[in-house]
Amino acid sequence: MLGYINAFIIGGFICAIGQLLIDKTKLTPARILVLFVTIGTVLAALGIYQKIVDVGGAGATIPLTGFGYSLAKGAMKDVDQYGLLGAFTGGIRASAVGITAAVFFGYLISVAFTPKAKR
Amino acid sequence: MQKLYTNKEYLDHVEKEAPKSKVARNIVRAFFVGGFICIIGQFLNNILAQQGIGKDAASNITVLIMVFLGAFFTGINIYDDIGRFAGAGSIVPITGFANSIVSPAMEFKSEGYVTGVGARMFFIAGPVLVYGISASVVAGILHYLITLSR
Amino acid sequence: MPTKHIGKQTVKIQNPLSIISTASIVGPKEGEGPLSLYYDVVIEDEMWGEKSWEKAESKLMRETVSKIINKSGKTIEDINYILAGDLLNQCIATNFAVRESGISLYGLYGACSTMSESIGLGAMIIDGGFADNAVCVTSSHFCSAEKQFRYPLELGSQRPPTAQWTVTGSGGVMLSNQGIGPYITYVTTGKIVDFGIKDSNNMGAAMAPAAADTIVTHFKDTGLSPEDYDLIITGDLGSFGRDLCEEIVNKQGYDIKDKYTDCGVLVYNKEKQDTHSGGSGCGCSAVTLAGFIYQEMKKGKFNNVLFVGTGALLSSTSAQQGESIPGIAHGLTLQNKFG
């Protein structure tokens, strides 16, 4: 149960920071996403994000900062295994499922459905 | 018109008078919806981890399902309503990443499956990959240099 | 010396020149708005049986043009010019809408000010003796505008409170040198005014100084005053832009408070329809002019109207390059009595 509460609080907190940035800085959603993924990567490289993941679980991995975290973690892991080449293979290897799923489902869904006007 | 304002005065005036976002309300909404999406992720992860498929597989399948859900709710025209309510609460989670890929793909279907769907799919999410992947390469290289120097 | 030009930016129309018919077709959201009874047709869904938003917008304009012509009692052969424009790149809604009509076209781009730009030019063409009848028409479509200027419809993003809602609709008028009014009597052509607003979610603030400039210039050029009008109405400043415009006009010594409003304020119910600052788009002023303003003038509720279409002349490219938003506003005087 504690795991769920932690996921809720950490995940909610990360999203709340995003909202604060949108409302206070006029950053567009696209910029917020870029900012979050980059921050996740940096925090992961510094070893900080691992600690957040240990506490928050999905609350830290589901937000886009978690995507940055898995990119950086993968790159560093592959460097340990394959040397410098790992910097170029690890990121995508670790996050392949998210990227591939988004492309594949994105294609399927866009073929199957059409946009509807907002009212 | 004789200048009643300088540009700066006008911008300041507009900034001051403009109707403001209800920041507190928006943050509460983002917190709850974002937190709730993460609970779903945690739930999936817990269930999958109990199947004895290993930690990595469990979290990969969680991501897979979350991306699918984000894409599916975009397809059935619901994710934009969630987004209008929740703001960053539904933009920041990985489901929002899926939404940012599916929504332009759907929108530009009228321009064809190659030049429309295929080409426009990444017009919002593309930068995320560009900066995320580039940052991870830099992280990897720095990691390499640090391990070398030890 | 031009004989019809008065003051700095205004033309005085010398011969009686009437709006002889109008038509407006709007989308479902506009049909639920406060002005719903004034529209000729409310379509049931935004696609209107077409395959794309752009085609749907084109159809809006095509059907509007044919309604204008039908209601005027004229035939296609009587129409000398169509003056039309829309918001899409290269004005494609317009081009495809009038493709089959066989009428001479001037395609115009004045962003959301296009309605008053086209009527102003149409009035000058007819008063100059170059035409008897001209159709002036514009359109905009929420979905095609979002797609071109902002984000895909299904993207889950929020709109800030200063954002406006593009009107889905097409409206237009037939101008003729025969007719019994309402008459076009003055045309005040706007100039670009830019106070450096860069936020494309705050178009009202970007255009308000241009609207105020045109209104004040109009009073100075013509010697008229706010007392000569019973309605002064801007195109699509929205509620926030409306307040700014009134304030700037007021600072220059003209009190328009009691008679001033904005089409973007009237077209939606701000509270119930979640449209934030109000309506925008070429269609916003067009359907309000063709519907509410024209019909209320015909009924005699308004006899002297200053109609000021407002436009924000930005593109997605200029916005991304960090340019500010140039505003423009064109004024027209509509009167039930000529001269």
Side-chain angles (χ1 to χ4, degrees):
Chain A
M1 195 58 210
L2 186 68
Y4 288 112
I5 295 173
N6 284 347
F8 180 71
I9 292 175
I10 303 270
F13 184 70
I14 293 172
C15 293
I17 295 173
Q19 188 65 41
L20 189 70
L21 290 173
I22 290 177
D23 283 343
K24 286 289 179 192
T25 63
K26 295 195 169 153
L27 283 176
T28 58
R31 285 170 198 273
I32 299 285
L33 293 180
V34 168
L35 190 68
F36 270 56
V37 80
T38 313
I39 288 175
T41 318
V42 172
L43 291 180
L46 296 173
I48 299 169
Y49 208 82
Q50 184 61 49
K51 288 172 187 150
I52 305 177
V53 173
D54 291 342
V55 179
T61 54
I62 293 295
L64 222 61
T65 40
F67 186 61
Y69 154 77
S70 78
L71 281 167
K73 193 180 150 197
M76 295 193 296
K77 197 175 147 204
D78 268 23
V79 164
D80 289 338
Q81 247 174 324
Y82 309 107
L84 192 54
L85 180 65
F88 292 86
T89 56
I92 302 258
R93 192 199 306 280
S95 53
V97 65
I99 299 172
T100 310
V103 170
F104 183 68
F105 293 138
Y107 188 82
L108 282 191
I109 297 282
S110 69
V111 171
F113 298 98
T114 43
K116 228 171 63 190
K118 293 185 188 188
R119 295 278 164 85
Chain B
M1 177 167 65
Q2 71 275 36
K3 280 245 177 178
L4 286 171
Y5 302 92
T6 64
N7 285 10
K8 171 130 192 2
E9 281 164 6
Y10 185 67
L11 288 171
D12 291 344
H13 181 67
V14 166
E15 186 66 31
K16 197 167 126 250
E17 299 293 325
K20 300 286 182 293
S21 302
K22 294 173 179 147
V23 181
R25 185 199 71 178
N26 289 349
I27 285 180
V28 170
R29 286 177 174 183
F31 182 85
F32 276 94
V33 175
F36 180 70
I37 293 172
C38 292
I39 285 186
I40 297 173
Q42 187 70 47
F43 174 72
L44 291 170
N45 203 27
N46 289 357
I47 298 274
L48 290 162
Q50 283 164 14
Q51 310 300 315
I53 49 171
K55 211 172 143 228
D56 279 357
S59 67
N60 271 341
I61 297 173
T62 303
V63 168
L64 185 72
I65 297 173
M66 295 302 282
V67 166
F68 174 77
L69 290 176
F72 183 70
F73 280 104
T74 306
I76 59 173
N77 318 106
I78 289 179
Y79 208 88
D80 60 320
D81 294 329
I82 301 175
R84 211 193 305 187
F85 176 81
S90 59
I91 292 173
V92 170
I94 189 101
T95 47
F97 179 68
N99 172 248
S100 76
I101 287 180
V102 180
S103 56
M106 285 168 71
E107 186 73 58
F108 289 95
K109 190 161 65 166
S110 50
E111 277 78 342
Y113 284 101
V114 175
T115 50
V117 175
R120 301 295 196 113
M121 193 176 249
F122 281 100
F123 106 85
I124 301 162
V128 174
L129 295 181
V130 170
Y131 285 93
I133 291 172
S134 304
S136 81
V137 171
V138 173
I141 293 172
L142 290 177
H143 183 68
Y144 176 76
L145 294 176
I146 291 167
T147 23
L148 265 192
S149 65
R150 276 189 189 146
Chain C
M1 260 307 269
T3 52
K4 301 179 182 182
H5 203 99
I6 58 171
K8 187 163 175 285
Q9 288 164 236
T10 303
V11 164
K12 187 176 194 314
I13 303 295
Q14 306 286 329
N15 305 298
L17 191 163
S18 290
I19 296 176
I20 58 167
S21 70
T22 68
S24 57
I25 303 179
V26 298
K29 190 178 176 101
E30 293 68 28
E32 288 163 12
L35 302 181
S36 59
L37 293 176
Y38 294 100
Y39 305 128
D40 291 288
V41 179
V42 178
I43 61 174
E44 277 175 23
D45 82 296
E46 285 82 351
M47 203 57 107
W48 210 10
E50 296 292 317
K51 286 206 175 88
S52 69
W53 307 125
E54 293 77 9
K55 285 192 170 73
E57 182 176 342
S58 230
K59 183 173 173 184
L60 280 174
M61 188 189 280
R62 185 160 57 244
E63 297 297 323
T64 302
V65 169
S66 92
K67 275 204 176 310
I68 295 169
I69 296 174
N70 281 344
K71 285 163 94 177
S72 71
K74 306 272 180 196
T75 62
I76 292 257
E77 285 69 37
D78 298 326
I79 320 294
N80 305 109
Y81 293 100
I82 289 186
L83 299 106
D86 58 89
L87 294 176
L88 302 181
N89 291 338
Q90 286 75 41
C91 289
I92 49 172
T94 300
N95 301 340
F96 292 104
V98 302
R99 182 168 55 182
E100 272 87 30
S101 72
I103 306 170
S104 304
L105 166 74
Y106 279 119
L108 306 175
Y109 188 80
C112 313
S113 72
T114 308
M115 189 71 251
S116 56
E117 179 183 11
S118 64
I119 296 178
L121 284 170
M124 286 193 245
I125 287 174
I126 294 175
D127 197 43
F130 302 106
D132 291 327
N133 306 296
V135 169
C136 307
V137 63
T138 68
S139 69
S140 58
H141 193 299
F142 176 78
C143 302
S144 61
E146 287 291 305
K147 180 175 167 183
Q148 178 175 308
F149 290 103
R150 295 191 188 90
Y151 291 114
L153 295 170
E154 299 298 338
L155 187 75
S157 59
Q158 278 175 331
R159 311 169 144 264
T162 48
Q164 292 174 250
W165 195 279
T166 305
V167 166
T168 300
S170 173
V173 304
M174 168 97 76
L175 298 180
S176 176
N177 51 13
Q178 302 149 340
I180 51 160
Y183 302 96
I184 313 286
T185 49
Y186 292 99
V187 176
T188 302
T189 306
K191 59 179 182 284
I192 287 179
V193 179
D194 185 343
F195 273 90
I197 298 273
K198 291 185 178 177
D199 182 1
S200 58
N201 274 314
N202 198 354
M203 304 277 217
M207 297 186 287
D213 180 73
T214 297
I215 292 170
V216 170
T217 306
H218 174 82
F219 290 143
K220 285 182 181 157
D221 286 352
T222 58
L224 296 170
S225 70
E227 285 71 48
D228 294 308
Y229 288 101
D230 33 38
L231 177 69
I232 297 171
I233 186 162
T234 45
D236 61 345
L237 298 182
S239 48
F240 179 49
R242 195 211 84 95
D243 295 348
L244 287 169
C245 176
E246 183 187 314
E247 186 187 319
I248 303 171
V249 172
N250 197 23
K251 277 200 173 177
Q252 295 173 84
Y254 296 94
D255 180 13
I256 56 174
K257 196 166 185 213
D258 304 329
K259 48 198 63 163
Y260 171 54
T261 188
D262 179 79
C263 300
V265 174
L266 297 179
V267 76
Y268 296 119
N269 184 324
K270 188 179 166 187
E271 306 306 324
K272 282 192 193 145
Q273 296 189 291
D274 190 32
T275 46
H276 297 238
S277 197
S280 68
C282 296
C284 182
S285 59
V287 301
T288 309
L289 175 70
F292 172 72
I293 299 172
Y294 177 76
Q295 287 169 35
E296 290 300 337
M297 285 192 81
K298 275 290 187 192
K299 286 182 208 156
K301 183 179 172 198
F302 304 125
N303 289 309
N304 303 289
V305 175
L306 178 57
F307 174 77
V308 184
T310 44
L313 302 172
L314 79 169
S315 80
S316 355
T317 306
S318 74
Q320 280 173 357
Q321 292 180 355
E323 287 282 359
S324 56
I325 301 171
I328 196 158
H330 302 297
L332 301 169
T333 302
L334 310 173
Q335 292 183 296
N336 273 338
K337 274 206 192 103
F338 185 81

